[in-house]
Amino acid sequence: MPGQTPSHGRPGLADSIETWMAQRNADVQRLAAGAHAVGQQVWSDGNRLNQYVSAARPSDVAALGVRAMQKATATGDRVAAGASDAVARQIAAMSPAARRIASGAGDASLAGLNGAQDAFTFGLGDRAYAGVRALADAADGADLGRAYSRHYAGTQALDAYDEGHHPIARGVGEVAGTAAQIGLLGAGEGGVAALKGLAQARRIPQASRLLAREGAALAGGGATAGFGGQAVGDFATGRHSSPADYAAATLGGVAGVGATILSRGRASAGGAADGAVTSVAQDLLNGRPVSMDNARQAAVLGATVGSLAGGAGRAWSNSLSRSAKGQLGEGLSKVRTVARGDMPLADGSVRLPLVGGGFTIPDHLTEGGEIAEAKFGNYARLSPRQRQAYQQPLPNYRVDHFLPRDIGAMFGAPANSAALGLYRPTENFSPLR
Amino acid sequence: MGWMASWIAVQRAGKSEILQHLGLAELGEEVLPGTRAAPFCCREFPDGWLVIFSENFDWASPKRLLDLSRLGFAIACQFEDKVEMTSALTAARDGVELWRVFHDNTQSIFRLDVSGEPPAALAAIRDKAFEEQRANGGEDSSTDFVQDVPLELGRVVCGFHAEEVDAPFTALRKASASGIGGEGKRRGLLGKLLSLGRG
């Protein structure tokens, strides 16, 4: 940089230590002034090119200048090499945003972390950071409101910088942050259940597994919920969704049910899958470029609503009286019989004698000859007679064991489909921005 | 239906007196307890016991037991094998509770709360059930053997065990609104909805 080259005298070459110190201080002052001038130029150029560069404080402007001078060093300029102390001081004084912009190399991973933080906290992390910095500035006599605005603007500039320079890293970070958020919602869904004493939720091993036909019936339920959710959204907002939107919502509903089953009844997982698949499918089927940002937002919304509705379903079913739980189990068992392509007999309360004495009374018999025993709740087990019937074996003896989490899943699917039907994703959405 | 039922047995009291007290009357039909063919049914057992069986878990409540125990020594049993594997056997005389044995597996599959001084036969019944439970996986077992303890104790006391007695009972109907035999609780919306499919 012309006019900014400092002298490099050593004590032995100077007339005295004092003379050297004076020379050195003059060099540093010249460097700082020069860095500030260069920084102002970079800031000005950046804004002229519509690339917002954060330099909220004088030290940030100087930092930009230092960065520019570092680049010059790489091309043979001697400025930075002779002012390493000043550079270190300048960098130490920078805000993280300016430091990131100034440091250049290696910040792809930081862009990823920043994206993860933004996604995970819905942008609250930026606000918290700005608040802490503003408080520190206020302690030094600065105006709190202005300091907050300045620091928050810095974080937004950093986000814009990351999106412009490290879009993949930031995108990966956002996906990771979203995944962590969904995972936390799932854990929260389970945590609420644990607080309610439902931690030992497990199905007894003798419970009959889902038939493919039952899986298809559940998928049909998910499809209906997805389609219905889109219709609810259209009705409530006066919007007219395209057939492609409906097809995508239907597909999302099916994916949601699949994810719920695979995650052992986590409505949050189902909601996340519903949201992501609906969003991506709507983009694809409508001929739009796929927006991963929209998919991510929809996944978070689905997971949030699914978690809340799922938790409500678990809590409600668990709060029922013993008798009501028993009736709920019996009712669900009959629904299951129908889903299996069979029909419950109207009067199925019979005593079935067992080998070795005693008898068991199943909940209902079916037209197809099945003997159904229904149980509901996390503490349901087989009675000795029922175990006898299972081991005997009593032909076509079927044990249906429903858990509160199943009710949570039943609550979650239509709730998150409706929420997704009402929701219209927008790019760069953040509820707190 | 599995079991979600209850019964009260009263010793050495007149059948008609008990039924009248409960506001119940005999229908004349024979039914098997647990089949829901009638909401109430009764049968006499040796040693002057009359067992009144209800298809409703909540019917044989402590309050109803204490009331009936003014007519004679009485025991009440509530049991279900669909939700929490609950079973309870309570004895009372002259309106005073004498002893109680209670099980559910919400805290432990070995849970067996005992108050008062139940019959000495309880110890052997309990030891056998605990041993069976331990031999079949203990807490992790998918079968609750301890649930049978109060039911088996009931058989020892009055001769009735709902899962072992094949003899038919006499169906009962409500004879008056003034008796204490009614369901005691109106069925809610959920109950009505879930009972629609029943024959």
Side-chain angles (χ1 to χ4, degrees), chain A residues 200 202 204-206 316 320 322-328 330-331 334 346 349 351 358-359 361-364 373-376 379-387, chain B residues 1-4 32-36 57-58 80-86 105-106 136 139-145 162-166 190-191 194 197-199:
Chain A
Q200 346 173 0
R202 58 177 181 174
I204 54 175
Q206 288 85 354
W316 170 77
L320 295 173
R322 281 193 196 92
S323 299
K325 282 178 184 169
Q327 289 175 7
L328 184 58
E330 288 179 23
K334 287 178 179 171
S349 299
R351 290 182 170 202
F359 53 85
I361 301 181
D363 284 290
H364 70 269
E373 174 60 47
K375 294 186 176 291
F376 184 89
Y379 304 105
R381 301 284 183 270
L382 293 178
S383 71
R385 291 289 184 235
Q386 289 161 349
R387 180 190 176 100
Chain B
M1 52 152 268
W3 293 101
M4 183 68 79
L32 293 171
T35 59
R36 293 182 184 169
F57 176 89
D58 298 314
E80 55 89 11
D81 58 13
K82 308 175 75 60
V83 181
E84 293 170 351
M85 310 305 287
T86 313
N105 65 15
T106 57
N136 285 277
E139 290 284 0
D140 296 328
S141 175
S142 60
T143 306
D144 187 338
F145 292 92
E163 287 184 310
E164 290 183 3
V165 172
D166 278 332
L190 176 67
L194 294 175
R198 289 188 191 133

Side-chain angles (χ1 to χ4, degrees), chain A residues 102-205:
Chain A
S103 64
D107 67 357
S109 57
L110 291 175
L113 285 174
N114 189 39
Q117 176 271 123
D118 281 343
F120 186 78
T121 65
F122 287 119
L124 272 177
D126 286 351
R127 291 184 180 274
Y129 165 77
V132 170
R133 292 294 298 261
L135 285 173
D137 287 359
D140 289 337
D143 177 77
L144 182 63
R146 293 180 67 178
Y148 175 82
S149 299
R150 197 169 64 237
H151 286 298
Y152 185 64
T155 65
Q156 300 312 287
L158 178 58
D159 292 347
Y161 174 84
D162 286 343
E163 280 166 8
H165 293 79
H166 305 288
I168 295 175
R170 181 171 172 83
V172 169
E174 286 178 338
V175 169
T178 303
Q181 205 174 41
I182 291 169
L184 197 66
L185 286 167
E189 194 182 342
V192 170
L195 285 175
K196 297 240 171 217
L198 311 181
Q200 346 173 0
R202 58 177 181 174
R203 237 179 282 281
I204 54 175

Side-chain angles (χ1 to χ4, degrees), chain A:
Chain A
M1 293 288 180
Q4 291 189 2
T5 306
S7 62
H8 296 284
R10 295 175 187 170
L13 300 176
D15 294 337
S16 67
I17 293 295
E18 286 75 20
T19 305
W20 178 85
M21 285 296 291
Q23 178 76 50
R24 181 70 173 170
N25 287 338
D27 286 347
V28 170
Q29 282 175 3
R30 231 181 12 256
L31 172 69
H36 192 269
V38 172
Q40 277 186 319
Q41 189 62 47
V42 170
W43 184 84
S44 173
D45 289 347
N47 288 344
R48 236 189 349 263
L49 296 171
N50 290 325
Q51 184 182 330
Y52 178 43
V53 177
S54 171
R57 300 178 307 182
S59 61
D60 294 345
V61 177
L64 286 173
V66 170
R67 172 64 182 142
M69 288 188 288
Q70 282 179 321
K71 284 183 177 173
T73 304
T75 60
D77 196 300
R78 294 167 56 208
V79 174
S84 57
D85 291 347
V87 169
R89 281 196 298 276
Q90 292 282 2
I91 289 177
M94 291 178 195
S95 72
R99 195 179 306 146
R100 286 270 314 285
I101 293 170
S103 64
D107 67 357
S109 57
L110 291 175
L113 285 174
N114 189 39
Q117 176 271 123
D118 281 343
F120 186 78
T121 65
F122 287 119
L124 272 177
D126 286 351
R127 291 184 180 274
Y129 165 77
V132 170
R133 292 294 298 261
L135 285 173
D137 287 359
D140 289 337
D143 177 77
L144 182 63
R146 293 180 67 178
Y148 175 82
S149 299
R150 197 169 64 237
H151 286 298
Y152 185 64
T155 65
Q156 300 312 287
L158 178 58
D159 292 347
Y161 174 84
D162 286 343
E163 280 166 8
H165 293 79
H166 305 288
I168 295 175
R170 181 171 172 83
V172 169
E174 286 178 338
V175 169
T178 303
Q181 205 174 41
I182 291 169
L184 197 66
L185 286 167
E189 194 182 342
V192 170
L195 285 175
K196 297 240 171 217
L198 311 181
Q200 346 173 0
R202 58 177 181 174
R203 237 179 282 281
I204 54 175
Q206 288 85 354
S208 55
R209 295 182 178 278
L210 287 179
L211 298 179
R213 185 169 189 151
E214 292 175 87
L218 289 171
T224 305
F227 187 95
Q230 194 71 23
V232 166
D234 280 3
F235 179 77
T237 62
R239 189 183 61 205
H240 296 289
S241 295
S242 67
D245 287 334
Y246 275 94
T250 303
L251 191 63
V254 173
V257 166
T260 303
I261 293 172
L262 290 175
S263 65
R264 300 179 62 174
R266 291 259 193 251
S268 50
D274 187 349
V277 170
T278 298
S279 177
V280 170
Q282 284 182 340
D283 284 345
L284 289 172
L285 296 178
N286 283 302
R288 299 188 296 253
V290 172
S291 165
M292 293 313 294
D293 202 32
N294 286 351
R296 189 177 60 76
Q297 294 162 22
V300 170
L301 176 69
T304 303
V305 174
S307 176
L308 292 172
R314 289 181 190 214
W316 170 77
S317 59
N318 196 55
S319 69
L320 295 173
S321 68
R322 281 193 196 92
S323 299
K325 282 178 184 169
Q327 289 175 7
L328 184 58
E330 288 179 23
L332 291 172
S333 181
K334 287 178 179 171
V335 170
R336 190 174 181 192
T337 292
V338 174
R340 292 165 76 94
D342 202 347
M343 285 298 289
L345 290 175
D347 185 6
S349 299
V350 295
R351 290 182 170 202
L352 297 173
L354 299 170
V355 173
F359 53 85
T360 188
I361 301 181
D363 284 290
H364 70 269
L365 305 179
T366 75
E367 288 180 358
E370 281 195 320
I371 301 163
E373 174 60 47
K375 294 186 176 291
F376 184 89
N378 300 314
Y379 304 105
R381 301 284 183 270
L382 293 178
S383 71
R385 291 289 184 235
Q386 289 161 349
R387 180 190 176 100
Q388 206 177 327
Y390 185 83
Q391 289 182 334
Q392 194 172 319
L394 200 57
N396 298 323
Y397 189 63
R398 184 184 101 211
V399 178
D400 296 337
H401 184 189
F402 301 96
L403 297 168
R405 72 179 186 220
D406 299 328
I407 305 299
M410 289 176 202
F411 275 44
N416 67 50
S417 288
L420 290 165
L422 287 164
Y423 162 72
R424 178 62 78 186
T426 56
E427 292 285 357
N428 302 319
F429 161 86
S430 171
L432 295 170
R433 287 178 192 176

